[in-house]
Amino acid sequence: SNTKRMRGGLEAAGFTIKPGPTPILPVMLGDAALATKFADAMLERGVYVIGFSFPVVPQGKARIRTQMCAGHTRAMLEAAAAAFAQAGRDVGVIGQ
């Protein structure tokens, strides 16, 4: 349920999430430098995420890797989704 909640929040904000049934939610950004910049922006907001890029993932498929777990509370997920949305707007990944 946490995975579905977070996926819904991120997609509603305008992010592209790679499909799949696992608790890993890859937030697709495409560009390696952008993924690094986005991860830095998230850390400034108190959310630690990892940017993955080539050679870990295919060229042009850079992403932010997130993983949900049962221990995440609703408040944690809402705070993380809000941080994603703000960082996404600030670095130009999603619209205002």
Side-chain angles (χ1 to χ4, degrees), residues 14-41:
F15 291 99
T16 300
I17 312 301
K18 189 169 182 164
T22 73
I24 296 170
L25 298 177
V27 180
M28 304 306 291
L29 300 178
D31 180 74
L34 183 58
T36 299
K37 184 177 179 180
F38 189 88
D40 291 345

Side-chain angles (χ1 to χ4, degrees), residues 29-89:
L29 300 178
D31 180 74
L34 183 58
T36 299
K37 184 177 179 180
F38 189 88
D40 291 345
M42 289 295 289
L43 189 57
E44 290 173 5
R45 289 160 179 77
V47 180
Y48 179 69
V49 295
I50 299 290
F52 279 36
S53 59
F54 183 81
V56 178
V57 298
Q59 191 87 28
K61 302 287 184 179
R63 63 197 70 186
I64 297 296
R65 183 187 188 274
T66 68
Q67 184 169 344
M68 303 304 109
C69 75
H72 289 120
T73 65
R74 186 177 204 154
M76 289 173 170
L77 297 174
E78 289 171 358
F84 261 92
Q86 185 61 54
R89 288 189 294 271

